[in-house]
Amino acid sequence: MPPFTGNVYSEPSLPANVLEIQASIDIDEALSYLGYKGQRLDPLLSETLDSVKAEVENLPIKALSRYFPIIDNPQKDSIDFKNCSLDLKGRDIRTHLKDAIGAYLVIITLGYDSERLIKREFAVSNTRGLLTDACASAYVEAGANALSDMVSRDASACNLITNSRFSPGYGDLSLDVQEPLLDALNAKRLLGISITDAGLLIPMKTITAIIGAFPEPLAANDSAKRCDICAIKDRCTIRKQGRTCHDVK
Amino acid sequence: MTSNDRDLLIKDEYLKRALSYEEFLIFDGAMGTMLQRLNLDGIEELPEILSITHPEEIEAIHRSYVEAGSQVITTNTFGANRLKLKGVFSVSEVYAAAASCARCAGARYVAGDIGPTGALLEPLGTLSFDDAYEIFKEQALAAEAAGCDIIAIETFADLREAKAAVLAAVENTSLPVFATMTFGNDMRTFLGTTPTIASSLLSRLGVSAFGINCSLGPAQLTGAIKDVASTSYVPIIVQPNAGLPKIVDGQTIYDMNASDFAKEMLPLVDSGANIIGGCCGTTPEFIAQLAQSVKGRKPAEPVRKDSFIVTSAQEAIVLPSDTHHITVIGERINPTGNKPMARALREKEYDFVVSEALDQVRAGAKILDVNVGLPDIDEAQTLSDVVEALSSTLTAPLQIDSSDPEAIEQAVRSYPGRPIINSVNGKQSSLDAILPIAKKYGCAVLGLTLDEGGIPNDPDKRHEIAKRILDEAEKIGLGKNDIAIDCLVMTVATNQSEAAALLQAIRLVKEHLGLKTVLGVSNISFGMPHREIINAAFLAAAFGAGLDMPIINPLSASYRQCVDVLSVISGQDKGSVEYIEKYSNYEEICANRQVNMADMKDSGASSISQAPSANQISSANQQAPLPIPKSFSDVPELANTAIEGILSGRKSPVGNAIKELIETHDIVDIIDCLLIPSLDEVGIRYDRGEYFLPQLMSSAEAAKAGFDVIRNYTATNGISLSKTGEKASSQPVVLATVEGDIHDIGKNIVAMLLDNYGYEVIDLGRDVKAEKIIEALKEHSAKLLGLSALMTTTVGAMRKTIEKVNAELPDVKIMVGGAVLTPEYAESIGADFYAKDATASARIAADCCG
């Protein structure tokens, strides 16, 4: 992993190169995606899960992260960034970045090997496929958490405080921002990320997010509000388990 | 130079000499960096349009490179394809303007630049190989029409896309084609291709130069260029970045200086690169220093290592000509004498084929033979489909096995790698049909020692045929690195002198022709008892005679053991590490294995270690079993095995129990009284929350194992399933994930469950247009459609699909499902049913189809 530059310049600056992220799969998290509610795990299923977990954890996690200062312009209804064509529209991202002086744009991916692995496991058996897919989701999520921690450390070296990750497609933030977000990170060239006409990313196990950077400590936990804006809040299986997807700790 | 046999239009003598390793050819540096420097980036949505709107500025950039010493100027057309231009400007307009800028700047040679389409090719994305080819063909023709002297295909990460671009350029123009790919820190492209793999394929496709651009700085490319030099058949081009990027004050910068760049380029030049330039971050100053540094030098001709190389997009099997190693080719993807495989191919169940392939790879196969020859199928289409299914899931290179040249050509054309063609033989008709395909698509080819006179007994005659195959191959530009010979084994049961003759033929081919050899070993024992004993011993003998690539069933333990030993004695298994690891606890493993084979297969575990203990298995199923149905009261244990197997999600016990029951009991009873009630019970337990999704799924798979036994049985015995009274039999249900959505797991689960309940499931896949759905509904006269959408952004597509289906086919009932849907929303978009999960969809289907 390349060393962090910290506050070398006037603002935070992680390296422009691809970061390699270490993470491990939280099995409970993976099972929760599959609707697990404490059912007794048959030893055969446990064993399959272990072998799938090991295969998924062989995949490299790659990431990019870059800090962009917010251009303060209260007249405009969108949030603009310096050195970046991305502009973010919507009530929810505005709330997320309220009082932020800048934001980290991040992307984390399991790469094309993950596409091949998941496809292969579904070919071998749907059960293994399901478990592989869930483990891969938990793995990329764990990678995103690890990257968030790195971002938070990088920010704190500049006396900034970060908040949680906010991803396109969440709340009223349109998936249309995926394309400029990828461009801002040069993610097509550096990670080979592709985007479909509908704004979905390939490899599918890829997360993009926006993390706010603030000069002052954040007020209250925004957890409850975060769920309010979610389209699937009433059917969310994670919430039913008393957890949230944005506040994993 | 073996680069190609088309009529090349090489502009002048100097270019000709450069393409014969005699002169350096200096390219230019980055366009993007210069646009940034002149504040021209971002003016147009696409920088390629600047050649039309700001021709003076583009010309000025080109001129600065010409003045710095660039002999070749690359046109500003990297993304000038119809996908990106979107009709705002035509492809030919942009190329014409761009080439004019380069010419006006005084370029000695103008290289028409072609970058990737920007869209992802199938099967990862949605762009087909043929569509990509058409896009590149339009660009290549535009470049030639615009008066370019060279076509530069550059910065590709997908080998398949690069192959489409190269074929489009060499098949449609007379210009020399230069192709380069871009690699990451790990010396692989995003899709896993290494420089060796790319070079082994692309340098054989008729290009005039192959190499690397972009990627990293020159110092990081030293090893990669050496790999290219040892495998390339054409001159080497290299255009690295100005080191690694950094972000300073919000800008991406490359902080290497021009003189360091030129210095670091010299090792690449020494390795044999004679076409040189720069990519991201390089400027005219870099080119000036680079041109200066090679002034007065003579290019070093790269030293190619003779090897027989076979590759997929991610894996290269390299057999150096001076080394004798054993490399197993797995033979099991072949319907001959393999009924489940034949059925899978007929019914397009390619998952079965992938599974079989994976088993072979895990058992040590390095290359997989793929044969789909069945009298009643479209072989060309099936072969291509299977090759695509395998190359999108596994990394082992493939051997394309067919007697139909058209099927071979269709399969190898879009294959992302260098496969082996199986096979050509000494008949003139075969040589004429197959060798040109191998040449055109950069394939290796397997030659059989038979001709118009059949298979000669005399080893000298077999050697003669092998020589004839090599001679003919050399005539069209193939060589020893492209041919492997199969001396064809026949059974000792009918002719005992056969074995000795064959071994002698192998020796002759190796000694006199220096070719690698292949052998379908198991034919030797045809008609003999305990064939595996003969097979393994004969494999060892054949290896002793010089065999390199046995075509065998790697799942056979005796073969595997023999291969493991041969790897030790040939020095291939260094320090015998693999052998020791595998066989140190062999007795223990064997004992465990016999007990647990069945369940290991169920869990998908592969290695022969790590078997679950016996008590784990017996404790597996603690929930109350179902009562034994009356019609099975004579065999309560077997019936119970089937029921418990389904409830606990174990395939093998279910399959085995049904195999026995089917001989003594009515098929209708097995389905209606055993399999379906067990599945229903699984559904109930799932609904009650006692099971969660993977358990539902493994039970469904266990039940499927039972249904598969029945299907194989009825197919073999000519029983029509519909006559067996299977309830839902032949009721068609069409399933699809709506347009724009690429999530298909939920839909796949529904498909599997409905399939188990006996519906004829027509699964159209993901990202499916309404028109295609309507077509399928009509074709199959289906009355039920299941639609899936996972994204809030794609339920709009679901609504539109429903509107279109209702308008054309008002009788069709539509059920919908997906994470973002609610019953209310489903109703509001006009769906007839909302399926909250897979078991709900089975109930809806039952209500609908009866």
Coordinates of all heavy atoms in Angstrom, one line a residue, chain B residues 152-203:
Chain B
A152 N -3.0 2.8 -35.9 CA -2.5 2.5 -34.5 C -3.6 2.1 -33.6 O -4.5 3.0 -33.3 CB -1.7 3.7 -34.0
I153 N -3.7 0.9 -33.2 CA -4.7 0.4 -32.3 C -4.1 0.4 -30.9 O -3.1 -0.3 -30.7 CB -5.2 -1.0 -32.7 CG1 -5.9 -0.9 -34.1 CG2 -6.0 -1.7 -31.7 CD1 -6.2 -2.2 -34.7
E154 N -4.6 1.2 -30.0 CA -3.8 1.4 -28.8 C -4.6 1.5 -27.5 O -5.8 1.8 -27.5 CB -3.0 2.7 -28.9 CG -3.8 3.9 -29.3 CD -3.4 5.1 -28.5 OE1 -3.0 5.0 -27.3 OE2 -3.6 6.3 -29.0
T155 N -4.0 1.2 -26.4 CA -4.5 1.3 -25.0 C -5.7 0.4 -24.8 O -6.7 0.7 -24.1 CB -5.0 2.8 -24.7 OG1 -4.1 3.7 -25.4 CG2 -4.9 3.1 -23.2
F156 N -5.6 -0.8 -25.3 CA -6.6 -1.8 -25.1 C -6.3 -2.6 -23.8 O -5.2 -2.9 -23.5 CB -6.8 -2.8 -26.3 CG -7.6 -2.2 -27.4 CD1 -7.1 -1.1 -28.1 CD2 -8.8 -2.7 -27.7 CE1 -7.9 -0.5 -29.2 CE2 -9.6 -2.1 -28.8 CZ -9.1 -1.0 -29.5
A157 N -7.4 -2.9 -23.1 CA -7.3 -3.7 -21.9 C -8.0 -5.0 -22.0 O -7.7 -6.0 -21.3 CB -7.9 -3.0 -20.7
D158 N -8.9 -5.1 -23.0 CA -9.7 -6.3 -23.2 C -9.1 -7.0 -24.5 O -9.2 -6.4 -25.6 CB -11.1 -6.0 -23.4 CG -12.0 -7.2 -23.7 OD1 -11.4 -8.3 -23.9 OD2 -13.2 -7.1 -23.7
L159 N -8.5 -8.2 -24.3 CA -7.8 -8.9 -25.5 C -8.8 -9.1 -26.6 O -8.5 -9.1 -27.8 CB -7.2 -10.2 -25.0 CG -6.4 -10.9 -26.0 CD1 -5.2 -10.1 -26.5 CD2 -5.9 -12.3 -25.4
R160 N -10.1 -9.5 -26.2 CA -11.1 -9.8 -27.2 C -11.4 -8.5 -28.0 O -11.6 -8.6 -29.2 CB -12.3 -10.3 -26.5 CG -13.3 -11.0 -27.3 CD -14.3 -11.6 -26.4 NE -15.1 -12.6 -27.2 CZ -16.4 -12.8 -27.0 NH1 -17.1 -12.1 -26.2 NH2 -17.0 -13.7 -27.8
E161 N -11.5 -7.4 -27.3 CA -11.8 -6.2 -28.1 C -10.6 -5.8 -29.0 O -10.8 -5.4 -30.1 CB -12.1 -5.0 -27.1 CG -12.6 -3.8 -27.7 CD -12.9 -2.6 -26.8 OE1 -12.6 -2.8 -25.6 OE2 -13.5 -1.7 -27.2
A162 N -9.4 -6.0 -28.5 CA -8.2 -5.7 -29.3 C -8.2 -6.6 -30.5 O -7.9 -6.2 -31.6 CB -6.9 -6.0 -28.5
K163 N -8.6 -7.9 -30.3 CA -8.7 -8.8 -31.4 C -9.7 -8.4 -32.5 O -9.4 -8.4 -33.7 CB -9.0 -10.2 -30.9 CG -9.0 -11.3 -32.0 CD -9.3 -12.7 -31.3 CE -9.1 -13.8 -32.3 NZ -9.5 -15.1 -31.6
A164 N -10.8 -7.9 -32.0 CA -11.9 -7.4 -32.9 C -11.3 -6.2 -33.7 O -11.5 -6.1 -34.9 CB -13.1 -6.9 -32.2
A165 N -10.6 -5.3 -33.0 CA -10.0 -4.1 -33.7 C -9.0 -4.5 -34.7 O -9.0 -4.0 -35.9 CB -9.4 -3.2 -32.7
V166 N -8.1 -5.4 -34.3 CA -7.0 -5.9 -35.3 C -7.6 -6.6 -36.5 O -7.3 -6.2 -37.6 CB -6.0 -6.8 -34.5 CG1 -5.1 -7.5 -35.5 CG2 -5.2 -6.0 -33.5
L167 N -8.6 -7.5 -36.2 CA -9.2 -8.2 -37.4 C -9.9 -7.1 -38.3 O -9.8 -7.2 -39.5 CB -10.2 -9.2 -36.9 CG -9.5 -10.5 -36.3 CD1 -10.6 -11.4 -35.7 CD2 -8.6 -11.2 -37.2
A168 N -10.6 -6.2 -37.7 CA -11.3 -5.2 -38.5 C -10.3 -4.4 -39.4 O -10.5 -4.1 -40.5 CB -12.0 -4.2 -37.6
A169 N -9.1 -4.1 -38.8 CA -8.1 -3.3 -39.6 C -7.4 -4.1 -40.6 O -7.3 -3.7 -41.8 CB -7.1 -2.7 -38.6
V170 N -7.0 -5.4 -40.3 CA -6.2 -6.2 -41.3 C -7.2 -6.7 -42.3 O -6.7 -7.0 -43.5 CB -5.4 -7.3 -40.6 CG1 -4.3 -6.8 -39.7 CG2 -6.2 -8.3 -40.0
E171 N -8.4 -7.0 -42.0 CA -9.3 -7.6 -43.0 C -9.9 -6.5 -44.0 O -10.4 -6.9 -45.1 CB -10.5 -8.3 -42.3 CG -10.0 -9.6 -41.7 CD -11.2 -10.3 -40.9 OE1 -12.3 -9.8 -40.9 OE2 -10.9 -11.4 -40.4
N172 N -9.8 -5.2 -43.6 CA -10.5 -4.2 -44.4 C -9.6 -3.2 -45.0 O -10.1 -2.3 -45.7 CB -11.6 -3.6 -43.6 CG -12.7 -4.6 -43.2 OD1 -13.4 -5.1 -44.1 ND2 -12.7 -5.0 -42.0
T173 N -8.3 -3.1 -44.6 CA -7.4 -2.1 -45.1 C -6.1 -2.7 -45.6 O -5.9 -3.9 -45.3 CB -7.1 -1.0 -44.1 OG1 -6.1 -1.6 -43.2 CG2 -8.3 -0.5 -43.3
S174 N -5.3 -2.0 -46.3 CA -4.0 -2.4 -46.7 C -2.9 -1.8 -45.9 O -1.7 -2.0 -46.2 CB -3.8 -2.1 -48.2 OG -4.8 -2.5 -49.0
L175 N -3.3 -1.1 -44.9 CA -2.3 -0.4 -44.1 C -1.6 -1.3 -43.1 O -2.2 -2.2 -42.5 CB -2.9 0.8 -43.4 CG -3.6 1.9 -44.3 CD1 -4.2 3.0 -43.4 CD2 -2.6 2.4 -45.3
P176 N -0.3 -1.0 -42.7 CA 0.3 -1.7 -41.6 C -0.4 -1.3 -40.3 O -0.8 -0.1 -40.1 CB 1.7 -1.1 -41.6 CG 1.9 -0.3 -42.8 CD 0.6 0.0 -43.4
V177 N -0.7 -2.3 -39.5 CA -1.4 -2.1 -38.3 C -0.5 -2.3 -37.1 O 0.2 -3.3 -37.0 CB -2.6 -3.1 -38.2 CG1 -3.3 -3.0 -36.8 CG2 -3.5 -2.9 -39.3
F178 N -0.4 -1.3 -36.2 CA 0.4 -1.4 -34.9 C -0.6 -1.6 -33.8 O -1.6 -0.8 -33.7 CB 1.2 -0.2 -34.7 CG 2.3 0.1 -35.7 CD1 2.4 -0.7 -36.9 CD2 3.2 1.2 -35.5 CE1 3.4 -0.4 -37.8 CE2 4.2 1.4 -36.5 CZ 4.3 0.6 -37.6
A179 N -0.4 -2.6 -33.0 CA -1.4 -2.8 -31.8 C -0.7 -2.7 -30.5 O 0.4 -3.3 -30.4 CB -2.1 -4.1 -32.0
T180 N -1.2 -2.0 -29.6 CA -0.6 -2.0 -28.2 C -1.7 -2.1 -27.2 O -2.9 -1.7 -27.3 CB 0.1 -0.6 -27.9 OG1 -0.8 0.5 -28.2 CG2 1.4 -0.5 -28.8
M181 N -1.3 -2.7 -26.1 CA -2.2 -2.9 -24.9 C -1.7 -2.2 -23.7 O -0.5 -1.9 -23.7 CB -2.5 -4.4 -24.7 CG -3.3 -5.0 -25.8 SD -3.9 -6.7 -25.4 CE -5.3 -6.3 -24.2
T182 N -2.5 -2.0 -22.7 CA -2.1 -1.3 -21.5 C -2.2 -2.2 -20.3 O -3.2 -2.9 -20.1 CB -2.8 0.0 -21.3 OG1 -2.4 0.6 -20.1 CG2 -4.3 -0.2 -21.2
F183 N -1.2 -2.2 -19.4 CA -1.1 -3.1 -18.3 C -1.0 -2.4 -17.0 O -0.5 -1.2 -17.0 CB 0.1 -4.1 -18.5 CG 0.0 -4.9 -19.7 CD1 0.5 -4.4 -20.9 CD2 -0.6 -6.1 -19.8 CE1 0.4 -5.1 -22.1 CE2 -0.8 -6.8 -20.9 CZ -0.2 -6.3 -22.1
G184 N -1.4 -3.0 -15.9 CA -1.3 -2.4 -14.6 C 0.0 -2.8 -13.8 O 0.8 -3.4 -14.4
N185 N 0.1 -2.3 -12.6 CA 1.2 -2.7 -11.7 C 1.5 -4.1 -11.7 O 2.7 -4.5 -11.6 CB 0.9 -2.3 -10.3 CG 1.2 -0.8 -10.0 OD1 2.2 -0.3 -10.6 ND2 0.4 -0.2 -9.2
D186 N 0.5 -5.0 -11.7 CA 0.6 -6.4 -11.6 C 0.9 -7.0 -13.0 O 0.9 -8.2 -13.2 CB -0.6 -7.0 -11.0 CG -1.9 -6.7 -11.8 OD1 -1.8 -5.8 -12.7 OD2 -3.0 -7.2 -11.4
M187 N 1.2 -6.2 -14.0 CA 1.5 -6.6 -15.4 C 0.4 -7.4 -16.0 O 0.6 -8.4 -16.8 CB 2.8 -7.4 -15.4 CG 4.0 -6.5 -15.4 SD 3.9 -5.3 -16.7 CE 4.4 -3.8 -15.8
R188 N -0.8 -7.1 -15.6 CA -2.0 -7.6 -16.2 C -2.9 -6.5 -16.6 O -2.9 -5.4 -16.0 CB -2.7 -8.6 -15.3 CG -2.0 -9.9 -15.1 CD -2.8 -10.9 -14.3 NE -2.1 -12.1 -14.1 CZ -2.3 -13.2 -14.8 NH1 -3.2 -13.2 -15.8 NH2 -1.6 -14.3 -14.6
T189 N -3.7 -6.7 -17.6 CA -4.8 -5.7 -17.9 C -5.9 -6.0 -16.9 O -5.9 -6.9 -16.1 CB -5.4 -5.9 -19.3 OG1 -6.1 -7.1 -19.3 CG2 -4.2 -6.0 -20.4
F190 N -6.9 -5.1 -16.9 CA -8.0 -5.2 -16.0 C -8.7 -6.6 -16.1 O -9.3 -7.1 -15.2 CB -9.1 -4.1 -16.2 CG -8.5 -2.7 -16.1 CD1 -8.6 -1.9 -17.2 CD2 -7.8 -2.4 -15.0 CE1 -8.0 -0.6 -17.1 CE2 -7.2 -1.1 -14.9 CZ -7.3 -0.2 -16.0
L191 N -8.7 -7.1 -17.3 CA -9.3 -8.4 -17.6 C -8.3 -9.5 -17.4 O -8.7 -10.7 -17.8 CB -10.0 -8.4 -18.9 CG -11.3 -7.5 -18.9 CD1 -11.2 -6.3 -19.7 CD2 -12.5 -8.4 -19.2
G192 N -7.1 -9.3 -16.9 CA -6.3 -10.4 -16.5 C -5.2 -10.8 -17.6 O -4.5 -11.8 -17.4
T193 N -5.1 -10.1 -18.7 CA -4.2 -10.5 -19.8 C -2.8 -10.0 -19.5 O -2.6 -8.9 -19.0 CB -4.7 -9.9 -21.1 OG1 -6.0 -10.5 -21.4 CG2 -3.7 -10.3 -22.2
T194 N -1.8 -10.9 -19.7 CA -0.4 -10.5 -19.5 C 0.2 -10.2 -20.8 O -0.3 -10.5 -21.9 CB 0.4 -11.7 -18.9 OG1 0.4 -12.8 -19.9 CG2 -0.2 -12.2 -17.6
P195 N 1.4 -9.5 -20.8 CA 2.1 -9.2 -22.1 C 2.3 -10.4 -22.9 O 2.2 -10.4 -24.2 CB 3.4 -8.5 -21.6 CG 3.0 -7.9 -20.3 CD 2.1 -8.9 -19.7
T196 N 2.7 -11.6 -22.3 CA 3.0 -12.8 -23.0 C 1.7 -13.3 -23.8 O 1.8 -13.7 -24.9 CB 3.4 -13.9 -22.0 OG1 4.7 -13.5 -21.5 CG2 3.6 -15.2 -22.7
I197 N 0.6 -13.2 -23.1 CA -0.7 -13.7 -23.7 C -1.0 -12.8 -24.9 O -1.3 -13.3 -26.0 CB -1.8 -13.7 -22.7 CG1 -1.6 -14.7 -21.6 CG2 -3.1 -13.8 -23.3 CD1 -2.5 -14.6 -20.4
A198 N -1.0 -11.5 -24.7 CA -1.3 -10.5 -25.7 C -0.4 -10.7 -26.9 O -0.9 -10.7 -28.1 CB -1.3 -9.1 -25.2
S199 N 0.9 -10.8 -26.6 CA 1.8 -10.9 -27.7 C 1.7 -12.2 -28.5 O 1.8 -12.3 -29.7 CB 3.2 -10.8 -27.1 OG 4.2 -11.2 -28.0
S200 N 1.4 -13.3 -27.8 CA 1.3 -14.6 -28.4 C 0.1 -14.6 -29.4 O 0.2 -15.3 -30.4 CB 1.0 -15.7 -27.4 OG 2.1 -15.8 -26.5
L201 N -0.9 -13.9 -29.0 CA -2.1 -13.8 -30.0 C -1.9 -12.7 -31.0 O -1.9 -12.9 -32.2 CB -3.4 -13.6 -29.2 CG -4.6 -13.4 -30.1 CD1 -4.9 -14.7 -30.9 CD2 -5.8 -13.0 -29.3
L202 N -1.8 -11.5 -30.5 CA -1.9 -10.3 -31.4 C -0.8 -10.3 -32.4 O -1.0 -9.9 -33.6 CB -2.0 -9.0 -30.7 CG -3.3 -8.9 -29.7 CD1 -3.3 -7.6 -29.0 CD2 -4.6 -9.0 -30.5
S203 N 0.4 -10.7 -32.0 CA 1.5 -10.6 -33.0 C 1.4 -11.6 -34.1 O 2.1 -11.5 -35.1 CB 2.9 -10.8 -32.3 OG 3.1 -12.2 -32.0

